[in-house]
C-alpha cells in the first residue's frame, strides 16, 4: 500500500487496501465508534489491513493509547456496513470510523483502559474540529446498525467523552421499577416514543406498534444513553433521558 501522511498528528500510519471514494464527494459529518471484537489489537490491525477482510476503518486505537491510521480521512473506509442515521443509509460515505481495541461481548468484554479512552478523546476532538462535526454526530456503530451490531457497547464511557467536550449526552435518570412500554404494546404512547427515537436519528417506524424492531432500537438507545439497564423496555428513565437529549439538541442546532 502507498504510504500517506496521517491526518491526525498523533497517529502512525499502517495503510489498508480496503477503501474507496466517498460518494459524490460527501463530506465527513459523522464519527462512528466501534470495538474490534477480536482476541488482540495486533490481530485486529492485521485483519483491517488485509485485502481479504474487505473491512477497514480510518483509525484503530490500541489499549495502550497508540493510534494507527489505516485509511485517509478523504477516502471511504469500510466499517459501518448496512446502516441508517437521520435519513442517511451510506454512513461510510459521510463518516470517519474509529475501531477501539476490545475483545467484545463474545470474547470477554473488558473495561476500556484509561489511556485508550484518553486517546479516543484526543482523536475525536481533532477530527470534530477539522471537519466541524456536530456533537450529536459522534455515534456508536450500534446506533446506526441496531440489531446487527452492539459495539462499542454499554461499557463505553460516553459520559467521560462528553465531559471532555466530545459527543452529545445527558446524565441518565436512574432506572426505576415502573413497567414501561415493552414489546407487544401499541397506541399513542408507543407512537410518541417511536417519534422521539426517529427524531433523534434512529431507524424506526412510527406506526404505534411496539414490535421487535422497536425493542431493538430501544436497546440501542439504552446501550449508548442509559447503559444501567439495556433491556429494550422503554421505562420512565429511558423516555425521560431521550426527551432531555432532544431538548438539548435545540441548544446546539
Ligand atoms: Zn463496529
Amino acid at each position: 500500500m502507498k504510504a500517506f501522511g496521517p491526518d491526525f498528528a498523533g497517529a502512525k500510519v499502517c495503510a489498508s487496501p480496503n477503501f474507496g471514494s466517498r460518494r459524490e464527494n460527501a463530506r465527513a459529518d459523522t464519527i462512528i465508534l466501534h470495538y474490534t471484537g477480536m482476541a488482540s489489537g495486533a490481530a485486529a490491525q492485521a485483519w483491517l489491513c488485509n485485502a481479504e477482510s474487505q473491512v477497514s476503518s480510518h483509525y484503530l486505537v490500541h489499549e495502550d493509547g497508540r493510534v494507527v491510521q489505516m485509511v485517509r480521512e478523504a477516502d471511504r473506509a469500510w466499517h459501518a456496513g448496512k446502516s441508517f442515521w437521520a435519513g442517511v443509509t451510506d454512513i461510510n460515505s459521510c463518516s470517519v470510523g474509529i475501531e477501539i481495541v476490545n475483545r467484545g461481548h463474545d470474547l470477554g468484554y473488558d473495561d476500556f483502559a484509561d489511556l485508550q479512552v484518553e486517546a479516543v478523546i484526543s482523536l475525536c476532538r481533532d477530527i470534530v474540529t477539522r471537519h466541524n462535526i456536530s456533537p450529536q454526530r459522534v455515534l456508536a456503530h450500534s446506533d446506526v446498525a441496531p440489531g446487527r451490531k452492539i459495539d462499542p457497547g454499554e461499557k463505553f464511557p460516553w459520559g467521560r467523552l462528553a465531559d471532555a467536550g466530545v459527543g452529545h449526552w445527558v446524565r441518565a435518570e436512574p432506572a426505576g421499577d415502573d413497567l414501561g412500554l415493552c414489546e407487544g404494546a401499541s397506541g399513542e404512547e408507543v407512537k410518541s416514543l417511536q417519534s422521539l427515537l426517529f427524531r433523534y436519528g434512529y431507524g424506526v417506524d412510527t406506526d404505534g406498534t411496539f414490535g421487535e424492531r422497536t425493542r431493538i432500537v430501544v436497546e440501542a438507545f439504552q446501550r449508548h444513553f442509559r447503559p444501567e439497564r439495556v433491556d429494550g423496555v422503554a421505562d420512565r428513565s429511558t423516555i425521560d433521558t431521550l426527551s432531555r437529549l432532544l431538548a438539548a439538541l435545540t441548544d446546539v442546532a
Side-chain angles (χ1 to χ4, degrees):
M1 274 310 298
K2 203 157 159 263
F4 55 84
D7 292 302
F8 171 61
K12 286 233 163 26
V13 170
C14 174
S16 169
N18 305 326
F19 68 91
S21 301
R22 291 184 185 274
R23 182 177 295 170
E24 288 157 13
N25 300 315
R27 83 174 189 92
D29 62 5
T30 305
I31 293 176
I32 302 294
L33 300 183
H34 305 259
Y35 67 44
T36 50
M38 292 182 66
S40 74
Q45 186 170 325
W47 181 243
L48 292 162
C49 290
N50 181 341
E52 275 177 42
S53 76
Q54 294 287 293
V55 291
S56 63
S57 64
H58 295 90
Y59 294 97
L60 176 67
V61 181
H62 286 279
E63 286 156 312
D64 60 4
R66 278 177 300 124
V67 178
V68 174
Q69 184 168 6
M70 297 170 290
V71 175
R72 294 186 322 141
E73 288 176 15
D75 290 322
R76 182 178 180 275
W78 302 339
H79 56 97
K82 186 172 160 36
S83 45
F84 175 96
W85 191 256
V88 174
T89 52
D90 184 2
I91 298 295
N92 281 338
S93 273
C94 67
S95 66
V96 174
I98 301 176
E99 286 279 358
I100 303 164
V101 172
N102 188 298
R103 292 183 296 165
H105 291 79
D106 291 343
L107 298 175
Y109 186 32
D110 309 302
D111 288 335
F112 291 88
D114 280 343
L115 279 174
Q116 188 180 35
V117 173
E118 291 305 319
V120 170
I121 289 171
S122 302
L123 175 59
C124 285
R125 286 171 80 145
D126 188 65
I127 295 167
V128 160
T129 304
R130 285 187 289 101
H131 294 274
N132 194 23
I133 293 172
S134 308
Q136 66 268 24
R137 285 283 187 162
V138 180
L139 297 166
H141 196 190
S142 51
D143 290 320
V144 302
R148 209 170 59 74
K149 296 292 175 183
I150 58 172
D151 61 311
E154 62 282 355
K155 286 187 178 180
F156 189 73
W158 293 100
R160 267 181 73 186
L161 267 69
D163 288 345
V166 175
H168 183 233
W169 194 78
V170 297
R171 201 160 296 281
E173 286 294 314
D177 52 10
D178 59 301
L179 289 176
L181 296 167
C182 59
E183 201 166 345
S186 61
E188 282 309 309
E189 276 187 312
V190 173
K191 193 167 180 169
S192 140
L193 163 71
Q194 291 170 326
S195 302
L196 295 176
L197 288 165
F198 183 78
R199 265 176 57 206
Y200 198 70
Y202 287 95
V204 66
D205 286 335
T206 54
D207 57 5
T209 301
F210 199 128
E212 187 189 14
R213 176 69 187 176
T214 300
R215 175 180 57 75
I216 282 168
V217 169
V218 169
E219 279 182 18
F221 173 79
Q222 291 171 331
R223 197 165 268 124
H224 185 160
F225 296 105
R226 212 287 306 267
E228 179 189 350
R229 193 164 73 210
V230 180
D231 60 0
V233 176
D235 61 346
R236 200 175 301 128
S237 145
T238 300
I239 295 173
D240 174 78
T241 306
L242 173 57
S243 303
R244 286 190 295 116
L245 262 180
L246 278 159
L249 263 189
T250 54
D251 296 341
V252 297

